[in-house]
Amino acid sequence: MSNALIIVDVQPDFCENGALPVTGGEMVASAIASDVESRRSHYAAIVTTQDWHIDPGEHFSSTPDFVDSWPVHCVAGTPGAELHPAIADLPVDAHFTKGRFTAAYSGFEAREMLAQAPKDDESGALLGDWLRAHGITSVDVVGLAADHCVRATALDAASQGFHTTVIAPLTAAVSPENMPHVHDELRAAGVTVLTLG
């Protein structure tokens, strides 16, 4: 199998002191960077996804329910939407952005960010198409947040036929108490969940 690592939404706005912080986000960013440094040869490709919001409609709310609506976060072109500094200099093969004009949780809704393209450009390849074009058959999924975008990305990866593994120690959740249920849901969909470092 040709394996890829998908680093989901490791952005300053999702880390401590960000607009929509996930407890443990900073630790996850550092842990992913260390893992890539030690296991880069394990992967045929490494890709990142980013929330990249311009006008995502009701996804942003001044009275968010933290299920379908959220405080303003990861506005395209702002520092909070960039890759976390621990991730930014990793040897990544492609970057994918999602959610410009709508809510988007799964990395498989994201399109490749093309060099020098305007921030509202949506002409890049979808993540799934890019992976298939590069001969990828298996993916490891890590990042933020475990119970939202990591979950959605892993479910879509499995539904698109990729052998999918979530490396749980390299994730952090908005609601950690819900993770046993999330892990059960992932396993039921055929996703492998690694819970040990």
Side-chain angles (χ1 to χ4, degrees):
M1 273 188 279
S2 186
N3 197 28
L5 177 67
I6 304 175
I7 302 173
V8 177
D9 297 4
V10 181
Q11 299 167 261
D13 269 358
F14 292 137
C15 294
E16 287 82 352
N17 300 313
L20 191 55
V22 177
T23 300
E26 291 286 345
M27 182 177 66
V28 163
S30 296
I32 291 171
S34 295
D35 187 67
V36 169
E37 288 175 9
S38 64
R39 298 195 316 126
R40 177 62 182 94
S41 62
H42 181 71
Y43 296 109
I46 297 177
V47 301
T48 65
T49 71
Q50 292 162 258
D51 263 10
W52 196 250
H53 297 309
I54 295 174
D55 182 9
E58 295 179 0
H59 186 62
F60 283 174
S61 175
S62 58
T63 56
D65 63 15
F66 296 93
V67 177
D68 298 310
S69 60
W70 304 87
V72 174
H73 62 278
C74 295
V75 173
T78 66
E82 298 299 327
L83 290 173
H84 188 282
I87 303 299
D89 293 328
L90 292 178
V92 170
D93 297 285
H95 303 284
F96 294 80
T97 56
K98 58 187 171 66
R100 286 170 176 80
F101 300 106
T102 186
Y105 294 92
S106 170
F108 285 81
E109 299 174 79
R111 290 188 177 274
E112 186 178 7
M113 182 185 284
L114 302 174
Q116 308 305 317
K119 70 179 182 179
D120 62 347
D121 180 74
E122 293 189 292
S123 62
L126 287 165
L127 174 58
D129 293 338
W130 189 97
L131 292 170
R132 283 184 285 272
H134 287 78
I136 300 300
T137 56
S138 172
V139 297
D140 291 350
V141 185
V142 300
L144 304 171
D147 43 348
H148 292 279
C149 294
V150 169
R151 169 190 166 274
T153 299
L155 289 172
D156 278 357
S159 73
Q160 291 196 24
F162 296 97
H163 181 272
T164 305
T165 300
V166 170
I167 305 175
L170 300 181
T171 70
V174 172
S175 302
E177 67 276 10
N178 292 337
M179 288 313 299
H181 169 74
V182 171
H183 287 165
D184 286 346
E185 179 187 19
L186 291 169
R187 292 185 183 105
V191 175
T192 300
V193 179
L194 296 182
T195 57
L196 299 176

